[in-house]
Amino acid sequence: MTDPILQVRGLRLGFPSGKGHVQALRGVDLELRRGEVLGLVGESGCGKSTLARAVMQLARPYEGTVLLEGTDLGALGERQLRPLRRHLQMVFQDPYASLNPRMSIGDILAEPQLAHGLLRREEAGARCAELLDMVGLPAGAAHKYPHEFSGGQRQRVAIARALALGPSVLIADEPVSALDVSIQAQIINLLQELVARLNLSMIFIAHDLSVVKHISDRIAVMYLGRIVELGEASAVIETPRHPYTRALVASIPVPDPARQAPAPEVLSGDPPSPLAPPRGCAFHSRCPRALERCRTEMPELEAASDKGSCACFNP
Amino acid sequence: MPLLEVKDLSCSFHTRNGVHRAVNGVSFHLDRGEILGLVGESGSGKSVTCHSLLGLIPRPPGRIDSGTALFDGTDLLSLPQAGLRSIRGRRISMIFQDPMTSLNPYLRVSEQLIEPLLIHTSLTRRSALEKAAAMLRSVGIQDADTRMNRYPHEFSGGMRQRVMIAMALITGPELLIADEPTTALDVTVQAQIVELLRRLQRETGMAVLYITHDLGVVAGLCHRVQVMYAGRIVESAPVSSLYASARHPYTRALLRSIPSTHRKGERLQTIAGMPPDLRTAAPGCAFAPRCRHAVAGCLQGPSPLLRPHAENHSHACLRDDLTDDQLSRND
Ligand SMILES: Nc1ncnc2c1ncn2[C@@H]1O[C@H](COP(=O)(O)OP(=O)(O)OP(=O)(O)O)[C@@H](O)[C@H]1O
Ligand SMILES: Nc1ncnc2c1ncn2[C@@H]1O[C@H](COP(=O)(O)OP(=O)(O)OP(=O)(O)O)[C@@H](O)[C@H]1O
Ligand code: SF4
Ligand SMILES: [Mg+2]
Ligand SMILES: [Mg+2]
């Protein structure tokens, strides 16, 4: 099926801040296709988590819509939204902060299902064992508490909790960033298996491009609250078009001394403040290819083609 | 004579939950002008190793149980605090992972930059300020003269890390210890900082001990690498040989778990199990319970010592008989 499971249109969202207004999302359009893994990358503060929270309806945008299977979630009240929430679940970066330290793993996993009326108390034990097995933890883990687990194991618990309600869309916000490489590999394998087995569609947020490339079908690159490039994962990494994506790709450390770029192109300057995004293309202040026009006009994301799409006047 | 020669360093933490043997008989050396990488998973003892060199281990609960660390002939571990202070910040500098822990939020950046100069040199305040501005420019901060009058929170994360680097380098140290200086930063900023360190090292000829868990950064920056596991160095080699022909099964496993060493979408290689609890000293090789090449002998006797394998390349694995093919075989 080609119709997207999730559509984000013209999303704008901001936060009041001491001196002014943080423009976290400045017009985001994005589609998640059925069964795909969409990687979302970009620098710290560019709005990735805010986008995730807006999709989850945890933050209300002041403009734009989020459609799940065609239903406009923003138009629903909390009561109507509730039954839909189970289709949309999230895994957070910090496996320490996202699990209640005073609840046993069994209770953590049963709670959302009981709350949604999807489970009777007497079935909880069996269902919990099933979920733990799905994420590669022993059934005995149900009686333990979060502090008794390592970071990687807690992230497995968090994934099991997200899966408990049988979601169709999973949003993973930096699920492996806090983990060591060898543990990271286990979690990436697990997510990949689960997506295939449970037929999930997933938005995978990370700042490590090599991880994102590995797991994603398509990649969206964000810069200061907007998507600047979108395309097939291999194309975005191997033949990036937007100058920001190029810089990002050039910055990936290559774990092989024999394949080092002789003079790596490093981006100069820092990202501009989201309190006062520059006029024109937000990247123009750091862009080696900027034209006069880039200072005044904002490039739109071009219509998708087989090359993907890019928002740049001089790609 | 190497610039730094560490021998048999052991360090433990005595807590209510038991004694954590964080660093266990670590020996290594660092030549003048060399960039040495120290890699390993979280908790393997990287930070404790370098903190103990500079007398930064909190005591209690920490305790240095054994070892010497000769810096240009002087043993840092037996030096009284005053002597250590005069070396630290002048001949040896350190950059920490989180710049905010070592920048004073209430002091202008300029004051923090000139402080070591006023303490350790006879420069006047005025020439110290000039030197500070020049240092900031060389780490890529534009408008250094005005910017340096600001407070740390007015800088972005990447800029603060550059301020930290400027502060660490302002006295022209012979040794820079950088403890994961880019882990908290974005890749583009990380690339800037790594490039900056590379350039400054070339220009000043200082030696660098670079701690990270990112094998990618090491490949592009370091001359030599040491891999730590459970408080011990398990392999030490020039970068080229480490990446081409690592001998220790743990190093191999670590390299194999990086996504970029796999075809897209392919199942990543993982290391089963977890690092050992440092409170219980199990016999034999600490990696044995997770090692696919372990034989009965690996679980007995004293922990295997670091032994030379080829020129400059040593490892602490008992199985010298393993062929490259056996080592590189996937599960
Ligand atoms: N609750 C909030 N109040 C005020 N500002 C916020 C809030 N949440 C986010 N912001 C700001 O919105 C912008 C986008 O933040 P967001 O957390 O979405 O970025 P991100 O891309 O997820 O970054 P990271 O990679 O660091 O997680 C940032 O400038 C951030 O400071
Ligand atoms: N103050 C302390 N009290 C008790 N134990 C400590 C203390 N500091 C360190 N340790 C122990 O020493 C071991 C090594 O810690 P260290 O900080 O050197 O690890 P690391 O390799 O730097 O890890 P990371 O990559 O997470 O920074 C850890 O297992 C930790 O439990
Ligand atoms: S000594 Fe044995 S257990 Fe340790 S790494 Fe070598 S083969 Fe594996
Ligand atoms: Mg975020
Ligand atoms: Mg550390």
Side-chain angles (χ1 to χ4, degrees):
Chain A
M1 273 212 262
T2 49
D3 63 317
I5 190 160
L6 187 76
Q7 282 170 290
V8 170
R9 290 197 193 137
L11 218 55
R12 290 178 178 277
L13 199 161
F15 300 99
S17 152
K19 293 172 228 151
H21 190 78
V22 179
Q23 303 183 29
L25 301 180
R26 305 187 303 129
V28 173
D29 297 292
L30 200 62
E31 288 182 357
L32 178 64
R33 297 177 184 162
R34 219 169 277 278
E36 84 166 335
V37 176
L38 176 67
L40 183 61
V41 298
E43 281 171 295
S44 182
C46 72
K48 304 179 297 295
S49 298
T50 305
L51 177 57
R53 294 173 54 80
V55 169
M56 294 293 300
Q57 304 296 306
L58 298 172
R60 290 262 166 167
Y62 50 75
E63 220 175 88
T65 50
V66 176
L67 306 174
L68 177 67
E69 304 267 19
T71 306
D72 181 352
L73 299 182
L76 304 178
E78 188 52 40
R79 278 225 1 247
Q80 298 153 299
L81 198 56
R82 247 187 101 75
L84 293 182
R85 280 196 191 275
R86 58 176 284 220
H87 299 295
L88 204 53
Q89 290 291 313
M90 187 154 168
V91 178
F92 298 88
Q93 167 169 1
D94 188 352
Y96 298 84
S98 65
L99 300 175
N100 184 338
R102 278 179 293 275
M103 278 168 79
S104 72
I105 304 302
D107 289 340
I108 287 175
L109 296 181
E111 185 206 53
Q113 303 173 78
L114 293 168
H116 277 260
L118 297 171
L119 191 70
R120 278 173 300 154
R121 280 249 167 242
E122 57 274 21
E123 300 163 343
R127 173 69 178 146
C128 180
E130 185 187 349
L131 285 166
L132 287 171
D133 181 58
M134 208 185 283
V135 297
L137 290 174
H143 307 292
K144 296 193 175 170
Y145 287 81
H147 74 263
E148 297 176 71
F149 291 97
S150 69
Q153 290 173 320
R154 282 186 233 207
Q155 203 54 294
R156 288 176 191 269
V157 173
I159 292 170
R161 181 182 56 182
L163 296 177
L165 296 174
S168 45
V169 173
L170 192 64
I171 301 183
D173 188 1
E174 312 237 14
V176 298
S177 305
L179 306 174
D180 272 318
V181 269
S182 67
I183 311 296
Q184 202 173 327
Q186 296 171 3
I187 300 294
I188 293 169
N189 285 344
L190 174 67
L191 283 171
Q192 241 173 340
E193 261 168 48
L194 291 170
V195 164
R197 179 140 66 100
L198 305 174
N199 205 4
L200 298 173
S201 311
M202 175 162 76
I203 296 179
F204 183 92
I205 301 176
H207 57 252
D208 184 338
L209 274 173
S210 52
V211 169
V212 172
K213 176 192 173 193
H214 187 81
I215 196 171
S216 310
D217 298 305
R218 290 191 304 151
I219 293 179
V221 182
M222 245 179 129
Y223 191 78
L224 214 68
R226 288 176 69 87
I227 306 288
V228 297
E229 182 158 5
L230 176 68
E232 296 301 321
S234 319
V236 169
I237 303 291
E238 276 146 35
T239 50
R241 293 172 61 220
H242 194 284
Y244 173 63
T245 316
R246 290 192 203 186
L248 210 53
V249 170
S251 307
I252 310 176
V254 181
D256 180 354
R259 287 195 298 124
Q260 297 297 315
E265 274 177 59
V266 300
L267 203 58
S268 59
D270 288 289
S273 161
L275 278 168
R279 277 187 68 191
C281 170
F283 189 57
H284 83 250
S285 57
R286 302 165 82 190
C287 182
R289 301 178 59 84
L291 308 171
E292 205 38 54
R293 185 181 178 194
C294 307
R295 298 172 198 284
T296 50
E297 267 178 76
M298 169 119 75
E300 292 295 332
L301 195 63
E302 66 197 7
S305 72
D306 46 348
K307 282 196 291 181
S309 45
C310 162
C312 173
F313 292 124
N314 191 21
Chain B
M1 185 172 73
L3 178 63
L4 177 69
E5 177 141 43
V6 176
K7 277 208 179 118
D8 193 33
L9 174 67
S10 295
C11 182
S12 54
F13 290 91
H14 298 250
T15 69
R16 262 189 308 168
N17 301 323
V19 180
H20 299 252
R21 309 225 167 266
V23 173
N24 256 307
V26 159
S27 301
F28 65 93
H29 69 93
L30 182 60
D31 287 326
R32 285 179 195 277
E34 186 180 36
I35 310 185
L36 175 64
L38 190 57
V39 300
E41 287 181 77
S42 191
S44 57
K46 306 181 296 294
S47 296
V48 171
T49 299
C50 43
H51 289 168
S52 49
L53 298 179
L54 294 181
L56 298 175
I57 297 289
R59 288 185 257 191
R63 186 183 293 172
I64 292 180
D65 302 307
S66 73
T68 54
L70 295 183
F71 173 74
D72 198 17
T74 309
D75 183 12
L76 299 174
L77 300 185
S78 58
L79 215 56
Q81 276 297 328
L84 202 52
R85 258 198 306 274
S86 84
I87 289 187
R88 197 168 70 204
R90 186 169 56 97
R91 300 184 64 193
I92 307 179
S93 292
M94 179 147 181
I95 309 175
F96 297 88
Q97 178 165 348
D98 177 7
M100 279 322 259
T101 57
S102 35
L103 286 174
N104 182 334
Y106 304 109
L107 270 186
R108 290 177 202 280
V109 161
S110 54
E111 295 303 320
Q112 307 192 45
L113 277 165
I114 64 171
E115 189 184 275
L117 291 176
L118 299 182
I119 296 175
H120 297 297
T121 72
S122 55
L123 284 183
T124 61
R125 196 181 148 78
R126 177 129 173 240
S127 35
L129 282 169
E130 273 165 25
K131 188 158 181 186
M135 198 68 227
L136 284 180
R137 275 191 293 274
S138 82
V139 299
I141 293 184
Q142 283 125 31
D143 310 324
D145 297 282
T146 48
R147 282 240 173 101
M148 73 179 186
N149 292 316
R150 302 205 184 144
Y151 293 90
H153 70 88
E154 298 176 77
F155 289 78
S156 70
M159 293 252 256
R160 266 181 228 145
Q161 201 54 293
R162 272 176 270 174
V163 169
M164 279 286 301
I165 294 177
M167 214 156 101
L169 298 186
I170 199 156
T171 53
E174 292 146 78
L175 170 60
L176 174 69
I177 301 179
D179 189 359
E180 312 222 26
T182 63
T183 305
L185 303 174
D186 282 314
V187 276
T188 54
V189 183
Q190 165 170 293
Q192 288 172 11
I193 301 285
V194 167
E195 191 47 36
L196 170 69
L197 280 175
R198 214 195 317 253
R199 177 171 63 81
L200 293 172
Q201 191 276 334
R202 232 180 6 239
E203 287 169 8
T204 64
M206 67 185 170
V208 181
L209 179 57
Y210 193 92
I211 294 158
T212 177
H213 56 253
D214 188 331
L215 289 158
V217 172
V218 169
L221 177 69
C222 301
H223 303 130
R224 209 151 51 85
V225 205
Q226 289 179 158
V227 181
M228 275 191 94
Y229 185 77
R232 291 192 162 83
I233 292 175
V234 296
E235 185 150 18
S236 163
V239 270
S240 50
S241 13
L242 190 95
Y243 288 81
S245 55
R247 283 298 311 179
H248 198 285
Y250 174 65
T251 313
R252 288 276 177 153
L254 214 52
L255 286 166
R256 259 202 310 267
S257 58
I258 315 176
S260 52
T261 58
H262 292 72
R263 281 197 316 278
K264 181 172 156 44
E266 182 187 37
R267 202 182 151 74
L268 298 174
Q269 293 292 313
T270 57
I271 310 178
M274 284 202 299
D277 185 339
L278 298 171
R279 288 170 299 181
T280 44
C285 170
F287 188 56
R290 306 172 75 187
C291 180
R292 58 159 94 168
H293 301 292
V295 291
C298 299
L299 289 151
Q300 296 157 9
S303 147
L305 293 177
L306 202 58
R307 289 162 298 122
H309 159 70
E311 170 117 30
N312 289 325
H313 189 158
S314 40
H315 65 84
C317 170
L318 294 173
R319 299 227 26 208
D320 280 316
D321 58 305
L322 290 170
T323 63
D324 198 60
D325 263 3
Q326 285 171 308
L327 280 165
S328 60
R329 202 194 62 224
N330 281 350
D331 291 326

